[in-house]
Amino acid sequence: MASYTKAAQQWATFARAWYLLDAKMQPPGKIAAATVIRLEGRHKPIYHALSDCGDHVVIINTRHIAFSGNKWEQKVYSSHTGYPGGFKQVTATQLHLKDPTANASKKPSEENYDAEAAPVPGRCYSRRYTEESSTRDSSATCSPQEVR
């Protein structure tokens, strides 16, 4: 009978949970850091770099993120099409006016590499990452845990 409870404990530890992160009035770096910890499974006691034990993450209210200081005008997002003359730069304000949810998932063109530069750590984690601009409706099939 002891092995049954041990197996149940192990299953509960390995089971993937759903987490709900509210991005309202939060800086993108703080949201990215909390998301990466949950996606990789670093909050679990059984974490190992080679094991895939991460959980699902849903981020709501991404259109209401907050930058500190003067970053709305100073933060620049860059992209290149691959063609000559295809280098484009957009400030955070311009990007927010065009698409209010884009600031939470874009990579900034800053020299230092921090949590803001990689909201989703890799392609293998993107299937467990969901971003929603409005609050979730009550008809959802899963019941995620809120992370504070």
Side-chain angles (χ1 to χ4, degrees):
M1 192 66 163
S3 64
Y4 175 74
T5 58
K6 186 78 168 173
Q9 287 176 349
Q10 186 178 16
W11 177 254
T13 306
F14 280 113
R16 294 195 194 276
W18 286 81
Y19 287 97
L20 180 69
L21 292 171
D22 189 8
K24 190 169 193 173
M25 299 307 292
Q26 297 290 327
K30 185 176 181 180
I31 294 297
T35 302
V36 168
I37 288 172
R38 298 291 189 262
L39 285 174
E40 291 180 350
R42 284 190 264 155
H43 63 288
K44 293 186 177 183
I46 59 156
Y47 171 73
H48 189 271
L50 298 177
S51 65
D52 184 17
C53 60
D55 294 326
H56 300 275
V57 176
V58 177
I59 301 177
I60 60 171
N61 294 327
T62 54
R63 70 177 59 226
H64 301 293
I65 63 169
F67 284 113
S68 60
N70 203 16
K71 288 185 185 171
W72 283 107
E73 290 80 24
Q74 291 177 348
K75 187 172 282 293
V76 177
Y77 295 95
S78 302
S79 64
H80 200 288
T81 61
Y83 291 99
F87 184 66
K88 298 178 182 173
Q89 289 185 327
V90 179
T91 63
T93 305
Q94 294 169 345
L95 187 65
H96 189 71
L97 291 174
K98 184 177 179 183
D99 183 13
T101 63
N103 279 333
S105 60
K106 282 280 198 176
K107 291 183 179 180
S109 64
E110 294 178 350
E111 307 302 70
N112 57 352
Y113 184 80
D114 56 349
E116 290 179 13
V120 181
R123 297 182 85 186
C124 60
Y125 296 117
S126 62
R127 61 188 153 87
R128 294 195 302 261
Y129 170 75
T130 306
E131 184 177 306
E132 296 183 5
S133 60
S134 61
T135 57
R136 284 185 68 81
D137 56 339
S138 59
S139 63
T141 57
C142 63
S143 56
Q145 303 172 5
E146 288 195 31
V147 177
R148 296 191 177 164

